[in-house]
Amino acid sequence: MKNIVVVGSQWGDEGKGKIVDWLSEQADIIIRFQGGHNAGHTLVIDGVTYKLRLLPSGIVRKNKISIIGNGVVVDPWALIEEIEELKSKGISINNDNFIISETANLILPFHKEMDEIREDAAGKAKIGTTRRGIGPAYEDKVGRRSIRVMDLRSEQNLDKRLETVLVHHNAIRKGLGKNVFEKEKLKKELLKIAPEILKFSQPVWLKLDEYMKQKKKILFEGAQGILLDVDHGTYPFVTSSNTVASSAATGSGCGPNSINYVLGITKAYTTRVGEGPFPTELKDKVGELLGTRGKEFGTVTSRKRRCGWFDGVLVKQSIKISGIDGIALTKLDVLDECDEIKMCIAYDLDGKRIDYLPATVEDQQKVKPIYETFPGWKTSTNGMKNINSLPSNAKKYIFEIENFIGAKISSISTSPEREDTILIENPFDI
């Protein structure tokens, strides 16, 4: 048995979808353990593109079981819409291949509205959320007033739970001059959709224990990236959940000893969507080149991503925080046209050289990257499947990254197609 956690080692958008899809072919169980439908994975299989937002990547493969864990916040209407969208492309989703944790928390319409109200009111101080209600839903979860999947089973219980959560939200809405939410209307809408959600509901912790006893291979699929972790990211410009590998255990209902290998997906350069510090950001023609060649637009929101050089300091920090065993390096081919390539190896903070990202936003915005420069290779690596076929300058860059971050590079992606991957070691075989 080998259980693997896949996490993004940067600010998300590292190309996890392709890598998770490749690993899911070898796994028996694929489980999402945090986040919501703000995190998008794009898969290209046999020429067909699948854009997943909430469902685990394994759902597009036959004979796999896909699970949404308790750590995920679920918009029930968005989930049903995504299921119907995949069914229209010939994907079968039923009780045999899909499970939702009965303790997963729901995203409701007033969460989305509160997300929008706050972002609009924040002006230049906005976080840059996807406005899908993720943050407010997590707030209700830790505030112990949330509606969970299991609450949909009983109209009487749902009525009580809605009463509790709306006392909180309607008080805020009144204070902001917004209309209050009508409980009866929302309850009616939830009861209508309840059967479609409850038919997939099970105690996931119990199912995982069963699968582990059967020696099933489990793939824990993370969303976003470690630098967006609510505790360890560039706070407050972060998501509202823990994106580090250890949250795979908490967000699914198993012990940390269930995890055998942590794979960090890492882009050969750096991108960030939304607001927040970005030490290596390029606001010049090189940044535009990376964005254009890398097609750096969000899967879910289509927002343009900010682009910059590879930040080795941040990736090394992510590796230590998340216990990453190996790196899957993605989008190497995007760098093919660069005359020279830079890697951040330290920061300058008020004249002092430091080798980590400081905790305060003020310092994060002040740090200046210290670079090591490498010659570009100026030839196509697109589609290459053997490391010996790579240009010598590309290999030098890869080996320098590996040496600096202190983690083995297990694979290198050279195009969006899943077959275009240089495999150095397979986490499931270690």
Side-chain angles (χ1 to χ4, degrees), residues 152-185:
L152 299 177
R153 294 175 184 160
S154 161
E155 180 177 352
Q156 183 178 9
N157 181 61
L158 180 60
D159 189 87
K160 291 178 181 178
R161 299 301 302 151
L162 283 172
E163 187 75 40
T164 299
V165 73
L166 286 177
V167 164
H168 173 81
H169 278 272
N170 281 339
I172 296 174
R173 295 173 69 90
K174 285 179 181 178
L176 294 171
K178 305 294 181 180
N179 293 333
V180 298
F181 242 86
E182 296 294 335
K183 183 186 71 173
E184 290 304 318
K185 180 182 178 183

Side-chain angles (χ1 to χ4, degrees), residues 245-261:
S246 54
S247 63
T250 308
S252 57
C254 61
N257 58 341
S258 303
I259 299 168
N260 308 114
Y261 188 97

Side-chain angles (χ1 to χ4, degrees), residues 389-402:
S389 301
L390 291 173
S392 59
N393 283 347
K395 286 189 283 188
K396 180 181 179 182
Y397 178 62
I398 291 164
F399 295 146
E400 287 296 329
I401 287 177
E402 186 176 60

Side-chain angles (χ1 to χ4, degrees), residues 136-370:
Y138 273 115
E139 287 181 45
D140 280 349
K141 175 182 177 178
V142 297
R144 293 163 293 186
R145 55 181 172 265
S146 186
I147 309 296
R148 302 198 286 180
V149 169
M150 65 174 68
D151 293 323
L152 299 177
R153 294 175 184 160
S154 161
E155 180 177 352
Q156 183 178 9
N157 181 61
L158 180 60
D159 189 87
K160 291 178 181 178
R161 299 301 302 151
L162 283 172
E163 187 75 40
T164 299
V165 73
L166 286 177
V167 164
H168 173 81
H169 278 272
N170 281 339
I172 296 174
R173 295 173 69 90
K174 285 179 181 178
L176 294 171
K178 305 294 181 180
N179 293 333
V180 298
F181 242 86
E182 296 294 335
K183 183 186 71 173
E184 290 304 318
K185 180 182 178 183
L186 181 55
K187 184 175 72 171
K188 184 178 179 180
E189 292 172 349
L190 282 169
L191 289 173
K192 181 179 179 180
I193 201 173
E196 292 299 309
I197 301 297
L198 289 172
K199 69 182 181 183
F200 299 116
S201 173
Q202 292 192 50
V204 165
W205 66 270
L206 192 60
K207 295 299 295 183
L208 284 178
D209 183 63
E210 177 185 320
Y211 296 141
M212 289 178 189
K213 288 177 179 176
Q214 296 170 358
K215 306 298 182 184
K216 300 290 188 182
K217 292 180 180 178
I218 302 173
L219 180 64
F220 297 88
E221 179 183 347
Q224 294 125 339
I226 293 167
L227 298 175
L228 291 174
D229 186 278
V230 69
D231 287 304
H232 301 288
T234 48
Y235 190 91
F237 301 97
V238 292
T239 193
S240 298
S241 62
N242 287 113
T243 60
V244 293
S246 54
S247 63
T250 308
S252 57
C254 61
N257 58 341
S258 303
I259 299 168
N260 308 114
Y261 188 97
V262 179
L263 180 66
I265 314 302
T266 308
K267 202 174 280 185
Y269 49 102
T270 309
T271 62
R272 176 165 200 167
V273 67
E275 309 302 317
F278 187 171
T280 65
E281 183 174 10
L282 297 169
K283 298 180 180 180
D284 56 13
K285 290 183 179 180
V286 177
E288 288 294 325
L289 174 68
L290 296 177
T292 301
R293 286 184 53 80
K295 297 180 174 60
E296 296 297 351
F297 296 91
T299 299
V300 172
T301 62
S302 297
R303 289 187 296 176
K304 185 178 181 181
R305 298 173 187 144
R306 301 151 64 191
C307 298
W309 293 122
F310 182 83
D311 194 329
V313 177
L314 284 181
V315 172
K316 182 187 285 190
Q317 191 164 318
S318 291
I319 287 169
K320 294 180 184 298
I321 289 170
S322 215
I324 290 172
D325 297 296
I327 288 291
L329 191 67
T330 64
K331 293 199 169 185
L332 180 70
D333 56 305
V334 173
L335 301 175
D336 288 350
E337 293 184 8
C338 295
D339 294 316
E340 62 178 24
I341 297 162
K342 296 182 179 183
M343 176 173 70
C344 178
I345 58 171
Y347 299 130
D348 179 291
L349 178 59
D350 296 329
K352 180 182 178 181
R353 182 181 174 120
I354 60 174
D355 60 359
Y356 65 94
L357 187 69
T360 66
V361 174
E362 291 81 5
D363 286 344
Q364 290 172 358
Q365 292 172 334
K366 282 197 297 184
V367 295
K368 297 178 181 178
I370 298 172

